[in-house]
């Protein structure tokens, strides 16, 4: 059997091989770092988008219970306060991370609260704290509000998703 003769490596060959290895290691490190960074950013976006979806869901649930006459006036006010706190917390983070207007949902919150608490049915039943059915006019007004404003949640989700 014949043994292949060994070819001596020149210094330039060794430098080239080391250069390739170093470049490969750097490329792997950069890709992993960028991938982790992008994953973290995506995770935060997904989390905040889920928070917005949860807020929208809680408002929907509230409105459905209101439409069905299942709510008492004295449980409505604390619910609005809790929702204001939740919304402000989420919107503060969104403002800090993505520079979006933290008051995007403010009008939704204020208008809905005013609309509900200024209803004749709400005020007539506040002292006795009884569940109250909505009159047809109040129901129409709330449905119109929901139709006009529900897109604010989707708009916010799109704006979060579009940010780098």
């Amino acid at each position: 059997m014949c043994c292949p003769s060994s070819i001596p490596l020149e210094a330039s060959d060794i430098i080239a091989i080391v250069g390739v290895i170093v470049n490969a290691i750097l490329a792997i490190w950069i890709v992993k770092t960028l991938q982790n960074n992008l994953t973290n950013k995506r995770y935060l976006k997904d989390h905040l988008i889920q928070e917005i979806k949860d807020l929208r869901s809680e408002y929907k649930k509230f409105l459905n219970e209101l439409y069905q006459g299942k709510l008492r006036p004295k449980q409505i006010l604390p619910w609005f306060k809790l929702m204001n706190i939740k919304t402000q917390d989420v919107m503060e983070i969104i403002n800090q991370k993505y520079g979006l207007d933290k008051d995007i949902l403010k009008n939704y919150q204020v208008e809905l609260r005013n609309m509900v608490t200024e209803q004749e049915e709400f005020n007539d039943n506040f002292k006795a704290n009884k569940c109250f059915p909505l009159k047809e006019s109040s129901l129409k007004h709330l449905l119109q509000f929901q139709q006009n404003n529900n897109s604010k949640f989707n708009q916010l989700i799109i704006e979060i998703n579009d940010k780098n």
Side-chain angles (χ1 to χ4, degrees):
M1 290 202 150
C2 181
C3 295
S5 65
S6 64
I7 302 174
L9 293 176
E10 304 253 341
S12 62
D13 294 335
I14 294 172
I15 291 172
I17 291 171
V18 170
V20 168
I21 292 171
V22 168
N23 283 338
I25 291 170
L26 278 175
I28 291 169
W29 178 76
I30 289 170
V31 168
K32 283 192 174 271
T33 302
L34 288 175
Q35 191 173 28
N36 285 341
N37 194 11
L38 290 174
T39 299
N40 289 342
K41 284 182 179 181
R42 184 73 245 169
Y43 179 78
L44 179 60
K45 281 184 179 183
D46 289 344
H47 172 72
L48 293 171
I49 288 169
Q50 187 58 51
E51 290 288 321
I52 297 301
K53 287 178 180 179
D54 290 346
L55 289 172
R56 179 177 56 192
S57 178
E58 288 188 50
Y59 276 108
K60 267 186 196 177
K61 181 182 175 207
F62 168 80
L63 287 167
N64 286 333
E65 289 178 358
L66 184 64
Y67 296 152
Q68 295 169 11
K70 293 182 176 180
L71 299 176
R72 298 176 188 276
K74 291 183 181 178
Q75 78 185 99
I76 290 174
L77 295 177
W79 184 87
F80 275 121
K81 287 179 184 175
L82 178 63
M83 289 305 293
N84 285 343
I85 292 168
K86 286 181 177 183
T87 303
Q88 284 175 342
D89 287 348
V90 171
M91 292 308 299
E92 189 65 38
I93 293 169
I94 289 171
N95 173 262
Q96 288 173 0
K97 292 306 267 181
Y98 304 112
L100 298 178
D101 181 8
K102 64 182 176 182
D103 294 328
I104 289 174
L105 297 176
K106 189 77 152 180
N107 287 343
Y108 183 93
Q109 296 173 276
V110 171
E111 281 182 53
L112 182 58
R113 183 191 66 226
N114 291 344
M115 196 179 307
V116 170
T117 59
E118 291 172 3
Q119 288 175 345
E120 185 180 323
E121 303 94 305
F122 177 88
N123 292 312
D124 289 347
N125 289 288
F126 189 83
K127 190 172 184 178
N129 199 29
K130 291 192 242 172
C131 292
F132 58 97
L134 295 175
K135 293 179 182 176
E136 190 66 30
S137 61
S138 297
L139 184 59
K140 280 184 183 180
H141 198 60
L142 281 166
L143 287 170
Q144 184 66 45
F145 169 82
Q146 198 172 9
Q147 182 180 356
N148 293 340
N149 291 286
N150 199 42
S151 63
K152 289 181 180 186
F153 293 96
N154 288 334
Q155 175 191 351
L156 185 54
I157 289 169
I158 290 168
E159 288 183 27
I160 291 169
N161 226 13
D162 286 348
K163 290 293 180 176
N164 292 331

